[in-house]
Every structure is written in structure tokens, then in C-alpha cells.
């Protein structure tokens, strides 16, 4: 099969044999695999991976073959894949904190993933998707499941003001979830004018440009003293710092964006103490994949309005460039092209 192999420095299109599946695994014919910010970071040497490995962790496909012990899937089923495989027996797994698993491995990071014609996946990582759903929607389940976990931390209460910092695909997913809550107002902070416009169309009550000199002031005024919930979806110190400045006294800040490992943020402990602020992180998608599938399958969440550009597998370099340069909101590899 054709596959995109990461050798530790670069990605290359290679021909790779498909190994025999084990009893608890299925062979998937990959439909669509999204390019994630993490893939870009892996290529840049700024995020962990275990090369040589086929990248791609946001994918869906059709079951081609089932191992002997597979109970819940059959040939022809359309599934979305949760790439994060936890061990089930470490100290974290035994307390339900599977995203912190000491032996965590991920498809498309540590073992072969979805930038390939076929992928072998453990049965328990597969979630059945209605066949009527567009494959590109099914490929977005993984990022959505992570967003849902972050959104759970936000714990939005009726009447809250919610500020989302960053109007990329993750910020927009947060916005769509927040629209289903009883928030009093939802604002999005995003430098790109087109994205701000899109967020407005999706239902943000107000959008702000963080590069405007008075942005903080205007947001504080609009939210009457700051937002009860601020969700940072960028992954930079500047964004985290601005998000922090927008938190109302007694409010909370969710750090969802993935900043570089070496970045540091200067913050006043007194400020956090005096303002009674909660700051929390959000890593991966523990037990939220099913919720993502349910929300999309029921039509409560859809991604019809996102600009998603699809590339065939053989122009993977071009596709990565498209994602790096953010020429569309999301870039995916479509194996049917
Ligand atoms: Zn990802
Ligand atoms: Zn574990």
C-alpha cells in the first residue's frame, strides 16, 4: 500500500506491506485523514513521535477485515478512530485518568496511522459512524472529542460570558459547543478578518481583533468586567496572556492551545490568589469520543461551514504546506482522490 512515512526528519511517500492483523484488530481502508497542528509540530521536531512511523491520527475508514476475536464490527462498517490507546493498568488508568496513562501510545504518532491506504486499528479504538455521514465529518471526530474534554472543564453556567481566544478550527468547535449552552454571550478573539467574519456567522455575539490596541479594554467593557470562562485555543504565550487578562474575578481560564514545550509564561501568583481565578489545562480526549460521535450523528454539531481542503495522498507535501500556511481552515487527505 501507499503510505506517508515519517523517518525522524521528513515525510516520504513509500510503498509498505500490510502486516497480518491480530485477533483483536481490524484492517481499515482509510477514507479521510486530517492534518493536525500536531503533525506539523512533529515534522518541525517540536512534538514527540516514534519514527519510523506512518503519521495521521484524525481519520476514518471502512472495515476491510476483522481479527478472529472482533465482536462489534463487521466488514463494510464505517468507523472513526480514537487514536489514543491507554494501557488500562497503570496508576492513572486505574483511577480513570486514561489521558495521563504512563504507557499511552497513539496511532499516527507512535504506531502507524492514517496517512496511508490502509491502517490496522484495535477494535476498541473504533467508533461506528452512520454511513450517511460525510467522511470528512467522521475525520473531525478526534479533534472534536478533545475539544469536548476541554469544554467539560469550562463548565459553562447559565448566564456566563464566554471568551474564546483563537478562531481556528478548534476555536470554532468550542464556539459551536458554547452555542448549545446557556451562556449569556460568546465572544471570539481572532486576528484574521475572514475567520472573525465566519465566527460571527456561526453565532459569536461579538468578535475582536487581538491586534487592536484597545482590544482588551473593549472586551472587558463588552463582558462587564471580563468573561467568567475564557478558553485559549491558540498555543502561544501571547494568546495565553491575553486570555488570562480577560478572565473575570472568580472566573476560569482553560489552556487548550498547545504551546511549544520551551515557552514560559510570567504570571503574578498574587493576582490568581486575589482574583480567585482557576486555571486548568486539557489534554487529549478521555471518554469523550462517543459524545463527539453522538453530537455529529444527531446533527447538533456540523462542520458544513468550515473551509476544508482535500488533497490526494501523493501530494502530501503540498497538503502540509497548505495547512502550515493556513490557506484553508482545515486540510485533509482524501484517499478516494
Ligand atoms: Zn490532532
Ligand atoms: Zn495506563
Amino acid at each position: 500500500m501507499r503510505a506517508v512515512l515519517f523517518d525522524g526528519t521528513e515525510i516520504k511517500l513509500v510503498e509498505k506491506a500490510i502486516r497480518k492483523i491480530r485477533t483483536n484488530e481490524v484492517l481499515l481502508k482509510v477514507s479521510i485523514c486530517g492534518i493536525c497542528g500536531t503533525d506539523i509540530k512533529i515534522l518541525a521536531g517540536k512534538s514527540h513521535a516514534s519514527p519510523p512511523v506512518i503519521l495521521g491520527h484524525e481519520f476514518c475508514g471502512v472495515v476491510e477485515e476483522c481479527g478472529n476475536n472482533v465482536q462489534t464490527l463487521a466488514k463494510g462498517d464505517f468507523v472513526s478512530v480514537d487514536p489514543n490507546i491507554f494501557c488500562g493498568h497503570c496508576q492513572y488508568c486505574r483511577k480513570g485518568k486514561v489521558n495521563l496513562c504512563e504507557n499511552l501510545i497513539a496511532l499516527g504518532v507512535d504506531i502507524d496511522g492514517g496517512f496511508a491506504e490502509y491502517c490496522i486499528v484495535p477494535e476498541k479504538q473504533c467508533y461506528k459512524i452512520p454511513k450517511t455521514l460525510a467522511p470528512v465529518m467522521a475525520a473531525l471526530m478526534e479533534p472534536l472529542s478533545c475539544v469536548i474534554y476541554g469544554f467539560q472543564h469550562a463548565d459553562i453556567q447559565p448566564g456566563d460570558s464566554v471568551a474564546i481566544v483563537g478562531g481556528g478550527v478548534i476555536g470554532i468547535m468550542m464556539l459551536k459547543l458554547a452555542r448549545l449552552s446557556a451562556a449569556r454571550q460568546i465572544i471570539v478573539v481572532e486576528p484574521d478578518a475572514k475567520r472573525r467574519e465566519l465566527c460571527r456567522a456561526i453565532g459569536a455575539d461579538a468578535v475582536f481583533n487581538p491586534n487592536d490596541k484597545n482590544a482588551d479594554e473593549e472586551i472587558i467593557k463588552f463582558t462587564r468586567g471580563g468573561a467568567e470562562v475564557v478558553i485559549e485555543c491558540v498555543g502561544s504565550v501571547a494568546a495565553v496572556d491575553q486570555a488570562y487578562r480577560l478572565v473575570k474575578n472568580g472566573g476560569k481560564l482553560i489552556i487548550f492551545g498547545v504551546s511549544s514545550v520551551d515557552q514560559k509564561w510570567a504570571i503574578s501568583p498574587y493576582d490568581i490568589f486575589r482574583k480567585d481565578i482557576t486555571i486548568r489545562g486539557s489534554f487529549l480526549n478521555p471518554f469523550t469520543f462517543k459524545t463527539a460521535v453522538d453530537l455529529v450523528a444527531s446533527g447538533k454539531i456540523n462542520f458544513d461551514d468550515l473551509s476544508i481542503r482535500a488533497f490526494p495522498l501523493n501530494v502530501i507535501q503540498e497538503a502540509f504546506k497548505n495547512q502550515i500556511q493556513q490557506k484553508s481552515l482545515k486540510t485533509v487527505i482524501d484517499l478516494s482522490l
Side-chain angles (χ1 to χ4, degrees):
M1 66 165 178
R2 289 177 304 135
V4 173
L5 195 74
F6 173 60
D7 63 9
T9 43
E10 55 180 354
I11 45 170
K12 272 189 207 134
L13 195 66
V14 297
E15 198 51 48
K16 204 177 173 201
I18 304 171
R19 70 164 169 82
K20 236 181 122 219
I21 57 170
R22 300 187 190 105
T23 52
N24 62 340
E25 292 174 333
V26 297
L27 176 67
L28 288 189
K29 189 172 192 321
V30 179
S31 304
I32 294 223
C33 184
I35 299 179
C36 172
T38 304
D39 296 314
I40 308 289
K41 288 205 167 94
I42 290 173
L43 258 190
K46 288 184 174 165
S47 189
H48 154 86
S50 312
V53 67
I54 297 170
L55 296 183
H57 59 270
E58 301 178 353
F59 63 105
C60 59
V62 177
V63 175
E64 184 83 7
E65 193 189 332
C66 291
N68 288 337
N69 285 340
V70 169
Q71 309 284 330
T72 60
L73 297 170
K75 187 175 156 80
D77 282 344
F78 179 41
V79 301
S80 186
V81 176
D82 178 357
N84 302 309
I85 306 172
F86 58 86
C87 77
H89 54 71
C90 74
Q91 58 167 324
Y92 294 104
C93 282
R94 288 190 164 176
K95 290 200 162 187
K97 298 185 173 184
V98 297
N99 56 326
L100 303 177
C101 172
E102 291 172 333
N103 306 303
L104 191 82
I105 54 168
L107 289 150
V109 179
D110 304 297
I111 55 175
D112 288 349
F115 291 140
E117 287 177 283
Y118 293 90
C119 183
I120 294 173
V121 181
E123 176 187 19
K124 72 179 175 80
Q125 303 303 123
C126 295
Y127 288 75
K128 255 196 249 187
I129 304 283
K131 285 178 188 168
T132 47
L133 201 77
V136 72
M137 302 292 155
L140 289 169
M141 292 302 178
E142 194 274 340
L144 180 62
S145 68
C146 295
V147 166
I148 289 169
Y149 183 55
F151 188 80
Q152 288 173 343
H153 296 323
D155 191 22
I156 296 168
Q157 297 298 312
D160 276 357
S161 179
V162 177
I164 296 163
V165 177
V169 72
I170 296 296
I172 286 174
M173 285 180 175
M174 288 289 185
L175 169 60
K176 285 175 182 261
L177 288 174
R179 287 273 298 158
L180 298 175
S181 76
R184 172 170 61 91
Q185 56 180 197
I186 309 161
I187 67 160
V188 176
V189 184
E190 162 61 42
D192 184 89
K194 259 176 134 176
R195 290 184 176 191
R196 282 201 302 276
E197 206 178 293
L198 176 62
C199 289
R200 255 321 238 164
I202 290 171
D205 297 295
V207 290
F208 296 89
N209 182 349
N211 297 328
D212 281 353
K213 245 176 58 202
N214 302 327
D216 282 11
E217 243 169 59
E218 280 174 34
I219 296 167
I220 304 265
K221 199 171 148 207
F222 186 84
T223 53
R224 303 197 305 239
E228 277 89 358
V229 173
V230 183
I231 309 173
E232 182 274 327
C233 305
V234 178
S236 76
V237 170
V240 171
D241 201 53
Q242 180 175 40
Y244 177 70
R245 294 194 301 272
L246 302 180
V247 182
K248 193 178 214 139
N249 291 1
K252 55 194 155 241
L253 166 62
I254 311 299
I255 298 182
F256 192 87
V258 187
S259 294
S260 296
V261 187
D262 51 357
Q263 287 188 309
K264 297 274 185 291
W265 173 33
I267 187 173
S268 152
Y270 178 82
D271 215 32
I272 298 172
F273 155 76
R274 181 60 186 84
K275 291 183 179 167
D276 201 2
I277 285 171
T278 305
I279 300 176
R280 80 155 295 171
S282 179
F283 182 57
L284 300 181
N285 57 351
F287 306 118
T288 52
F289 211 95
K290 177 79 168 70
T291 305
V293 171
D294 285 346
L295 282 174
V296 175
S298 65
K300 283 281 179 192
I301 293 276
N302 75 65
F303 305 115
D304 295 343
D305 39 19
L306 302 191
S307 72
I308 299 170
R309 188 149 172 224
F311 288 82
L313 188 67
N314 58 4
V315 292
I316 186 89
Q317 311 283 2
E318 203 185 312
F320 266 70
K321 211 185 279 171
N322 187 76
Q323 174 71 16
I324 291 166
Q325 296 173 348
Q326 307 205 327
K327 286 190 176 163
S328 44
L329 209 52
K330 182 83 187 170
T331 312
V332 300
I333 298 297
D334 185 340
L335 276 298
S336 71
L337 293 177

